Amino acid sequence: MNAEKHFHKGARFERTQAKLEPAEDWETIIEACYMAAHHFIEAGTEWHGVPHPQAHAHRDNISLLKKAIAPSEVQDAWRNLELLRPGSIYGSHTNGTASSEARDALKIIKEWVEKGRPSLKESIPLL
């Protein structure tokens, strides 16, 4: 999957979770934010000069972000999603607060990714 496809997949997860109610759907929101962020990171690190990884392993995202010299705020946002996700799976986060934290982290990651995204002009080869 190339960077642009990763970005679009992340955007689909983002749109889906945005339709959900934080207090009722917190598990799904956190999971969707996590997946969206993962795909955004795959795209964004490539756009920031890191070769596209073969493994696509979530555990490699911090390493990719460091190689791409992502700001600490972006790295911290991913770490926060990594902390929120197990809680959503095992039930330790039971209110809309965790949903808001996940959405905030996703926003931070996506904004950084979009800064590195090539413009349409840059991505169209000249003939």
Side-chain angles (χ1 to χ4, degrees), residues 101-112:
E101 288 178 39
R103 285 175 168 169
D104 290 345
L106 177 59
K107 181 180 179 195
I108 290 166
I109 291 166
K110 185 180 180 189
E111 286 174 356
W112 174 77

Side-chain angles (χ1 to χ4, degrees), residues 47-119:
W47 290 332
H48 282 86
V50 177
H52 194 77
Q54 295 301 312
H56 296 91
H58 298 196
R59 71 180 177 276
D60 296 338
N61 285 344
I62 283 295
S63 173
L64 291 172
L65 289 168
K66 286 180 180 180
K67 288 178 186 174
I69 312 172
S72 60
E73 178 184 40
V74 174
Q75 294 178 42
D76 291 345
W78 175 253
R79 285 185 187 105
N80 193 29
L81 285 169
E82 285 187 310
L83 292 173
L84 289 170
R85 188 176 187 226
S88 74
I89 293 169
Y90 298 109
S92 66
H93 298 294
T94 57
N95 60 39
T97 303
S99 299
S100 293
E101 288 178 39
R103 285 175 168 169
D104 290 345
L106 177 59
K107 181 180 179 195
I108 290 166
I109 291 166
K110 185 180 180 189
E111 286 174 356
W112 174 77
V113 168
E114 287 179 322
K115 287 179 186 174
R117 189 177 186 190
S119 69

